[in-house]
Amino acid sequence: MAAPALGPDSARRRAVLDRLRAIAGPDGFVPFDRFMEVALYAEGVGYYDRPRSPLGTDGDFYTAAHVDRIFAECVTARLGEIRRAAGDPGTFAIVELGPGDGTLAAGIVAALADDAGRWEYVLVDRSPARLRDASARLEGSAVGVRSVGSLSELGPFAGAVLADELLDAQPARRLRWDGSAWQELGVRVGADLVTPAEDGPARPVPFPALPTGVPVDQVVEVSPEAEGIVREVADHLAHGAALIIDYGLEESELVRGHPAGTLSAVRGHRSLPDPYADPGDADLSTFVNFSRIRAVARAGGLVELSFRRQADALGAWGLAARLERALAAAPDAATRVKRQLAAKNLLFGFEQFRVLELAPPSTAERLATPT
Ligand SMILES: C[S@@+](CC[C@H](N)C(=O)[O-])C[C@H]1O[C@@H](n2cnc3c(N)ncnc32)[C@H](O)[C@@H]1O
């Protein structure tokens, strides 16, 4: 696929291209995960580190948290159960990885208002610009708020780790099965454009092994970064649980349903035809390979409490009763319709979303496993 030449005003893309050239091999090849890393996260120029937030109706995409506050309320109900299972300690930390613009955090903090003194909200976002947004959003909140650079700064901790649409935004490797081996895909960086490339040097894929016997030309994405995040949770979460909410599938479903992989580029709430055309200026994401994430979690000693569709998780966390109460309290018919439509969107519009609940053995025993 040919990418269009850069326009003269494309300062951001030019800066991203300069960073890519600096890490490219002698033939201009950059593995896809390194390309995605620079395009999304290069300090000051990467997509997520722009001054303007990419999230929400004025941005490029929205998450479940932006649809209706009932999403945050349902998550908060589950956080309360996790807290009780962890022994109801004096202060319990909610550690949100990748809070973005802070919409989910603000909804959770609002839902905790009556009990604010017993909670602490910890923000972890690798993008300084988004961390500023989320912190500003929580300013003046009754719940104590702080930010840390990474989970390891918390040491072994008791709390609930929350990651909504974090893993899909991690740099991912793309690999193509050539009939006998997995071939590393990437990009070639030219003078003023980036094009897809298929001739990268082979790199080993860490545990777990990739499938073989798939159709020739099958592409799969794996994200060592996303898997590293789960390993970090396993290493530092002593009591509590982690809620991972994201779009993704099991590896067998990805192979069956997505022969060309799941890479997508989005801007202004539209899917872009060429994911290579606007590095730094478009969101890039891939579906979470949940088979790998679950295997890494198990290998790290975490117990899987549940893995289910987002709609099923929201149902178990009390969406129906909450919606009924919200409708009864709505000031007018227009608000009622708006909230009903939002709930419908959360239940049926996020079809590919899954919720993975993980806990260290100490807490897992005390959290009822949902059916
Ligand atoms: C798609 S946004 C998620 C927004 C938010 N969770 C929500 O539900 O609306 C992804 C966020 O994750 C952040 N991020 C990416 N990698 C991260 C990492 N390794 N640790 C912490 N934050 C990260 C990005 O900077 C961005 O703010």
Side-chain angles (χ1 to χ4, degrees), residues 283-303:
D283 182 41
L284 296 176
S285 69
T286 60
F287 275 39
V288 176
N289 184 327
F290 270 113
S291 300
R292 295 184 63 84
I293 294 295
R294 296 168 77 189
V296 165
R298 277 194 301 273
L302 292 171
V303 177

Side-chain angles (χ1 to χ4, degrees), residues 80-105:
E81 291 171 359
I82 294 169
R83 178 196 177 107
R84 285 189 287 283
D88 219 356
T91 305
F92 197 61
I94 300 164
V95 183
E96 188 178 354
L97 304 178
D101 65 357
T103 297
L104 179 56

Side-chain angles (χ1 to χ4, degrees), residues 168 221 246-258 261-262 286-294 307 309 350-355:
D168 70 80
E221 284 107 3
D246 224 312
Y247 46 96
L249 294 167
E250 300 262 33
E251 192 164 77
S252 56
E253 296 171 301
L254 289 166
V255 167
R256 247 195 333 272
H258 299 272
T262 61
T286 60
F287 275 39
V288 176
N289 184 327
F290 270 113
S291 300
R292 295 184 63 84
I293 294 295
R294 296 168 77 189
F307 175 60
R309 291 172 185 277
F350 286 70
E351 202 191 327
Q352 312 267 33
F353 278 64
R354 303 287 181 268
V355 177

Side-chain angles (χ1 to χ4, degrees), residues 198-219:
E198 303 207 334
D199 48 358
R203 285 156 75 194
V205 175
F207 165 88
L210 287 178
T212 51
V214 297
V216 172
D217 287 339
Q218 173 75 46
V219 173

Side-chain angles (χ1 to χ4, degrees), residues 300-358:
L302 292 171
V303 177
E304 188 172 309
L305 301 172
S306 67
F307 175 60
R308 52 190 164 174
R309 291 172 185 277
Q310 176 173 298
D312 295 335
L314 291 176
W317 300 341
L319 184 125
R322 250 166 254 288
L323 179 62
E324 220 167 277
R325 284 199 294 277
L327 297 180
D332 49 45
T335 310
R336 266 194 298 281
V337 171
K338 195 167 160 238
R339 298 209 67 183
Q340 272 169 324
L341 287 175
K344 191 171 163 197
N345 185 5
L346 285 173
L347 290 175
F348 304 109
F350 286 70
E351 202 191 327
Q352 312 267 33
F353 278 64
R354 303 287 181 268
V355 177
L356 175 62
E357 295 188 293
L358 302 164

Side-chain angles (χ1 to χ4, degrees), residues 139-226:
E139 234 167 54
S141 129
V143 172
V145 178
R146 67 181 164 124
S147 63
V148 295
S150 74
L151 275 186
S152 60
E153 277 180 46
L154 298 171
F157 69 97
V161 176
L162 184 56
D164 183 43
E165 295 208 33
L166 170 77
L167 299 190
D168 70 80
Q170 297 310 305
R173 287 174 65 182
R174 307 190 78 227
L175 297 118
R176 188 179 70 88
W177 179 248
D178 71 3
S180 57
W182 286 99
Q183 186 188 24
E184 190 85 30
L185 302 183
V187 301
R188 184 149 278 107
V189 190
D192 60 1
L193 49 76
V194 170
T195 48
E198 303 207 334
D199 48 358
R203 285 156 75 194
V205 175
F207 165 88
L210 287 178
T212 51
V214 297
V216 172
D217 287 339
Q218 173 75 46
V219 173
V220 299
E221 284 107 3
V222 306
S223 172
E225 296 259 0

